[in-house]
Amino acid sequence: MKYSRQAMILKLIEEKDIETQDELANELRANGMDVTQATVSRDIKELRMVKVLGKAGVYKYAAMERQDAVMSDHLIRVFS
Amino acid sequence: MKYSRQAMILKLIEEKDIETQDELANELRANGMDVTQATVSRDIKELRMVKVLGKAGVYKYAAMERQDAVMSDHLIRVFS
DNA sequence: TGTGAATAGGAATTCAAT
DNA sequence: ATTGAATTCCTATTCACA
């Protein structure tokens, strides 16, 4: 089921640094969710996730905060 | 020169939606800066830019707001 | 350092199929 | 609608070099 999987994705990226979609797919499978990279890619798109440069200078996936007001999308800020 | 190119990159992504690094390289060349995708990739990394889902449901490059305080980098917000 | 050419690796999409 | 397999496309990095 899609929504529990997407919820799991958001949880996973908070708990650990996920560098690739394959890695995320592996984590999901380790949590009993059978899924491929293609689906992870679609989930990432729906969740409007991004790949950001982490502190260690390594790329990792991150979630966007929900924002319902009108906004531009060429300026992004990282939050604590 | 690297810094004027990176400044141009930030300007370009504000002016128009850039979907790929090749497209960005083309724009830079159209502005007299001879550059390849490899360098654009490195610039994007240094600038901590991200690829976000734009309003039209199409991916585009966007800049991160400067943030010097300590912060997590798994939660991102789009700004107006 | 900074860069390009080439490549490897990663991600988005197509094309079924359900 | 949702997904996987395969493919295409895109990006990060390697390797050489200025």
Side-chain angles (χ1 to χ4, degrees), chain A residues 3-20:
Chain A
Y3 294 106
S4 62
R5 185 184 60 241
Q6 294 189 347
M8 177 71 75
I9 287 174
L10 294 173
K11 183 158 165 285
L12 284 168
I13 61 164
E14 282 177 33
E15 289 171 353
K16 58 194 302 183
D17 293 356
I18 307 284
E19 296 183 29
T20 68

Side-chain angles (χ1 to χ4, degrees), chain B residues 27-38:
Chain B
E27 291 289 337
L28 289 165
R29 282 191 288 267
N31 285 268
M33 297 180 141
D34 208 1
V35 73
T36 65
Q37 176 266 324

